[in-house]
Amino acid sequence: MNKNGKIGIKILIVILIVIFASVLVYLNQTPIFLEKTIKIFNKNYEYKTPTVELESSEGAFVDVLNDARAVIATKDGVKVYSHTLKSELSAAFSGENPIVKHNGDKILIFHKGSNKALFINGRKNIPVTASGNILTGSVNESGYFALLTEEKGFKSQIIVYDKNGEEFYKWHSAENFVNDIALSPSNIALAASVLDYSDAKLKSKLLIFDTATEQPKEVASEESITEIEFLSKSKIAAVCDNCVAVYSAGGERMWNHSFGSKGIFAYKIKDGKIAAAAGESNLSTETVDVLMFNEGGKAVVNYKNRGEVEGLDILSDNVLVVGKRYMRVVSNDEKSYLKTGKDITSAHFSGNIKTALVHTGMLVQLEYFE
């Protein structure tokens, strides 16, 4: 074989090695395999974990957007980072303990006790000033958003805005104390969980609005609903102290799962599913039930978790269980487990089930399951 032939074979071997390594890295979904491979040739190599250092950890909000980008809000404003934690955009919006609601690349940020909000629609920043202090909010995939605010002379009011920040719908609550609100993907329906004390007896209700009309449809609830979210255009998820349920947009309760005497310690509504962790107590020595339901009420995950549960996240048919110093990926069995050396403030799946965005103290970084 001539010299050129030998060189060609060597080049082909290198290309095949690169392709093989790339496939393995893709299948592993984390840099762990790549780090181990490089260490064969360079024992001193250390993979630098993507990290964001916060100026202050107090009141910081950290979450992952639908496209695996990260959103971090602090007392100074909000920033969006790529899936490798490279800064992509930022907006100044000062205030203590920011609250963020998001859907796709639509981000709504506000502070309780303030009447100002900032809506980020892609790269367009829209400041909003409400007539009363903001209590909570909701944003849908179309770019419409809603604010629940205090209002003089009423219990509260709900204001729906279009994607340009213009008022689209308004409703004043004279009798009901509103806990939470949710806006449908179609902008047509609005839901609110409320407590009614009008006849000297506390009752929980779900109000469902058609934004073309003024008065909502009232649906009585035997349980006190703490959070609601639209699973789709026609289905509303509801979480209470010891149960999860789904209602139709017409007000029919389609299904309900009660945990009985067990209380819900953590829950997540995401991607058409509801995950909840419930138990008699939330101690590291106790076993907690972790269930995830699809929108039809089928439990697609049923796992007995040993240890306290501080948070949950959902990706496909997997649940990320977050404890004080551990994370566990489960379906009906444990898939991955990772201990941390610091207390976890929050953790979320980041793009795949082997990567998590973890907030500990003043650091936000990616952690990888093997």
Side-chain angles (χ1 to χ4, degrees):
M1 183 179 293
N2 59 32
K3 185 177 180 181
N4 289 336
K6 291 180 179 179
I7 293 173
I9 291 174
K10 289 180 179 178
I11 293 173
L12 180 61
I13 290 173
V14 170
I15 292 173
L16 290 174
I17 290 173
V18 170
I19 293 173
F20 181 68
S22 299
V23 170
L24 287 177
V25 169
Y26 173 77
L27 292 175
N28 278 268
Q29 296 181 309
T30 74
I32 293 175
F33 173 81
L34 181 61
E35 180 182 17
K36 290 180 178 178
T37 304
I38 295 176
K39 277 192 172 183
I40 296 174
F41 306 97
N42 181 2
K43 294 182 179 180
N44 296 321
Y45 174 80
E46 294 290 341
Y47 177 75
K48 188 175 181 182
T49 303
T51 302
V52 175
E53 188 169 350
L54 306 177
E55 292 183 6
S56 172
S57 62
E58 186 176 353
F61 176 95
V62 179
D63 205 349
V64 176
L65 302 177
N66 297 8
D67 57 5
R69 292 184 300 161
V71 56
I72 301 176
T74 66
K75 61 183 180 63
D76 298 316
V78 60
K79 292 185 178 181
V80 176
Y81 297 82
S82 71
H83 69 283
T84 56
L85 297 187
K86 302 293 184 183
S87 180
E88 289 190 349
L89 63 89
S90 63
F93 188 69
S94 60
E96 300 295 327
N97 301 312
I99 299 172
V100 177
K101 305 287 184 176
H102 60 84
N103 199 321
D105 63 348
K106 283 69 174 180
I107 301 170
L108 177 66
I109 177 173
F110 55 89
H111 307 93
K112 279 190 176 181
S114 167
N115 68 335
K116 296 186 183 300
L118 178 66
F119 178 56
I120 302 175
N121 190 350
R123 293 191 173 274
K124 186 178 181 181
N125 296 347
I126 302 173
V128 176
T129 301
S131 57
N133 289 337
I134 298 168
L135 302 173
T136 190
S138 176
V139 59
N140 69 14
E141 61 191 36
S142 303
Y144 281 59
F145 61 98
L147 295 175
L148 172 66
T149 71
E150 297 174 344
E151 181 70 3
K152 188 176 180 180
F154 295 91
K155 297 290 192 296
S156 59
Q157 71 171 349
I158 300 171
I159 311 169
V160 180
Y161 300 84
D162 66 19
K163 58 187 177 181
N164 296 314
E166 300 294 331
E167 286 190 12
F168 173 72
Y169 178 84
K170 182 183 288 188
W171 179 77
H172 294 87
S173 177
E175 299 178 348
N176 302 295
F177 295 92
V178 182
N179 294 325
D180 195 24
I181 58 174
L183 188 59
S184 75
S186 64
N187 312 318
I188 295 174
L190 172 71
S193 61
V194 305
L195 292 175
D196 183 0
Y197 198 68
S198 58
D199 56 0
K201 183 179 179 181
L202 193 62
K203 294 179 293 184
S204 178
K205 293 180 181 178
L206 179 66
L207 303 184
I208 302 174
F209 303 78
D210 180 339
T211 52
T213 62
E214 176 65 23
Q215 293 302 317
K217 179 175 182 177
E218 294 188 3
V219 180
S221 173
E222 297 177 4
E223 305 85 8
S224 178
I225 298 172
T226 56
E227 181 165 336
I228 55 174
E229 190 73 41
F230 274 88
L231 289 177
S232 63
K233 292 181 180 180
S234 59
K235 295 178 180 179
I236 305 165
V239 178
C240 67
D241 292 336
N242 69 337
C243 72
V244 294
V246 166
Y247 292 82
S248 72
E252 175 191 0
R253 189 165 79 172
M254 304 178 70
W255 61 266
N256 173 77
H257 178 88
S258 173
F259 290 96
S261 62
K262 298 178 180 179
I264 294 178
F265 304 120
Y267 57 86
K268 187 75 173 184
I269 305 171
K270 182 181 176 183
D271 298 337
K273 299 181 180 73
I274 312 170
E280 299 292 348
S281 63
N282 196 23
L283 302 174
S284 59
T285 55
E286 297 294 325
T287 298
V288 175
D289 295 336
V290 176
L291 280 80
M292 181 169 72
F293 302 90
N294 62 20
E295 63 179 39
K298 180 182 178 180
V300 294
V301 170
N302 191 339
Y303 180 79
K304 299 291 186 181
N305 185 80
R306 183 72 171 177
E308 79 288 342
V309 179
E310 304 293 329
L312 299 173
D313 197 16
I314 295 171
L315 184 60
S316 186
D317 288 332
N318 304 279
V319 177
L320 177 65
V321 181
V322 184
K324 288 182 179 178
R325 289 201 169 194
Y326 77 87
M327 295 180 291
R328 179 179 280 129
V329 179
V330 305
S331 53
N332 288 322
D333 299 301
E334 180 183 295
K335 290 187 174 181
S336 305
Y337 180 82
L338 183 65
K339 274 190 172 183
T340 62
K342 298 179 180 179
D343 288 350
I344 300 173
T345 304
S346 67
H348 312 272
F349 280 125
S350 183
N352 58 72
I353 64 170
K354 293 188 176 182
T355 308
L357 181 73
V358 184
H359 175 201
T360 56
M362 295 179 66
L363 294 179
V364 178
Q365 61 186 27
L366 296 177
E367 296 279 0
Y368 305 103
F369 294 92
E370 293 198 33

